[in-house]
């Protein structure tokens, strides 16, 4: 029993680390979504939006087999993130080309923003839950109790990892909001990251077994993981350098 519990603890630790990595790029998207809200409403929108994510992560474990088959969720998430990224860059370039200063447009209302956060988290949660299932189902069963067709032991590990991931994403998003408020010049880099996360969801959609444009295992392969994180780090480094340079000028 001691060895089994140690295995459970190790898988949970790995899962929390994985959730933390996945939460990093997701948190940037959340920060961009709430950037237009005034003061305390930013924190409230993140709180309400991600509180609903707790409920969804729990429900997702019961519906994981159904969600795996609904590739449209990730397709819509990819389309939305790519749209807002390209729209921001287009509006910025258009304003610079006209020689005018871009005015801050009125963004979505508070509850509309909360809804957008929840919808985005649904798309993110599919990838997160699949990773959790892949890890936790390798664990030995504890007892005979099943929850949602999954043994209670692995189920608790998957649920714990998913909920901890939401907490990490909540606090990471808050830090990114503060960063964008302190260095507004980094906003373009943040939107490029949003677009790159959209590409990530697009790759997952194209590799879905019902689409099969890309190999099914490609999104979780070493090659794509290396490409994704290399480009993401490159965007951060270049964006920070350009933003700080513009700030000094």
């Amino acid at each position: 029993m001691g060895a089994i519990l140690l295995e459970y603890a190790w898988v949970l630790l790995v899962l929390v680390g994985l959730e933390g990595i996945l939460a990093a790029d997701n948190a940037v998207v959340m920060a961009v979504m709430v950037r237009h809200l005034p003061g305390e409403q930013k924190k409230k929108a993140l709180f309400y939006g991600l509180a609903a994510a707790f409920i969804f992560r729990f429900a997702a474990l019961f519906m994981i087999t159904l969600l795996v088959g609904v590739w449209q969720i990730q397709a819509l998430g990819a389309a939305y993130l790519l749209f807002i990224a390209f729209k921001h860059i287009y509006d910025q370039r258009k304003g610079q080309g006209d020689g005018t200063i871009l005015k801050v447009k009125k963004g979505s209302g508070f509850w509309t923003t909360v809804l957008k956060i929840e919808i985005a988290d649904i798309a993110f949660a599919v990838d997160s839950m699949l990773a959790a299932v892949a890890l936790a189902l390798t664990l030995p069963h504890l007892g005979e109790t099943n929850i949602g067709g999954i043994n209670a032991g692995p189920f608790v590990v998957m649920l714990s990892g998913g909920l901890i991931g939401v907490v990490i994403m909540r606090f990471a998003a808050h830090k990114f909001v503060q960063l964008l408020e302190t260095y507004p010049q980094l906003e373009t880099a943040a939107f490029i990251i949003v677009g790159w996360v959209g590409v990530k969801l697009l790759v997952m959609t194209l590799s879905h077994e019902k689409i099969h444009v890309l190999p099914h295992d490609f999104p979780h392969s070493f090659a794509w993981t290396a490409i994704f994180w290399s480009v993401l780090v490159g965007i951060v480094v270049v964006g920070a350098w350009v933003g700080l340079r513009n700030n000094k000028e």
Side-chain angles (χ1 to χ4, degrees):
M1 179 59 70
I4 292 177
L5 293 178
L6 183 61
E7 185 178 356
Y8 266 74
W10 171 249
V11 169
L12 179 59
L13 181 63
V14 172
L15 185 55
V16 169
L18 179 60
E19 290 286 351
I21 293 173
L22 293 174
D25 53 351
N26 300 352
V28 177
V29 175
M30 304 299 177
V32 168
M33 284 183 173
V34 302
R35 78 193 190 288
H36 64 279
L37 294 175
E40 287 298 312
Q41 285 195 11
K42 290 185 176 71
K43 294 181 181 179
K44 289 182 179 180
L46 288 174
F47 175 79
Y48 289 131
L50 295 178
F54 274 97
I55 300 173
F56 178 78
R57 296 293 173 105
F58 183 78
L61 288 177
F62 291 95
M63 301 185 297
I64 191 65
T65 55
L66 175 63
L67 292 174
V68 170
V70 185
W71 59 267
Q72 291 88 344
I73 292 176
Q74 292 172 331
L76 289 173
Y80 176 69
L81 296 184
L82 289 170
F83 169 74
I84 62 176
F86 281 117
K87 185 177 185 301
H88 173 82
I89 295 172
Y90 172 79
D91 289 344
Q92 185 183 58
R93 295 296 181 186
K94 183 179 179 181
Q96 291 176 349
D98 294 341
T100 60
I101 299 176
L102 284 176
K103 295 182 179 179
V104 178
K105 297 181 179 180
K106 184 179 180 180
S108 303
F110 177 78
W111 289 111
T112 302
T113 301
V114 171
L115 179 61
K116 288 180 179 179
I117 292 174
E118 293 175 4
I119 292 173
D121 187 69
I122 291 175
F124 295 143
V126 174
D127 185 33
S128 175
M129 286 293 101
L130 285 176
V133 169
L135 277 173
L137 289 186
T138 62
L139 291 169
H141 290 186
L142 287 178
E144 302 297 327
T145 304
N146 290 330
I147 304 175
I150 303 173
N151 181 260
F155 182 90
V156 171
V157 171
M158 286 185 283
L159 180 62
S160 301
L163 297 185
I164 291 172
V166 173
V167 173
I168 294 173
M169 186 162 57
R170 161 66 178 83
F171 286 101
H174 177 62
K175 293 299 181 182
F176 281 121
V177 167
Q178 292 179 328
L179 185 65
L180 290 176
E181 290 176 345
T182 306
Y183 300 101
Q185 299 84 3
L186 300 179
E187 188 175 90
T188 298
F191 272 96
I192 294 175
I193 292 175
V194 169
W196 185 234
V197 175
V199 172
K200 174 185 176 182
L201 291 178
L202 178 61
V203 167
M204 293 183 64
T205 301
L206 295 178
S207 63
H208 193 278
E209 57 186 9
K210 293 184 179 179
I211 306 297
H212 206 60
V213 173
L214 296 173
H216 181 64
D217 295 331
F218 179 72
H220 303 289
S221 66
F222 174 79
W224 169 243
T225 301
I227 292 171
F228 177 79
W229 286 104
S230 297
V231 172
L232 186 64
V233 171
I235 294 171
V236 171
V237 172
V238 174
W241 178 75
V242 172
L244 293 176
R245 186 190 64 180
N246 291 341
N247 188 42
K248 289 181 180 179
E249 293 177 354

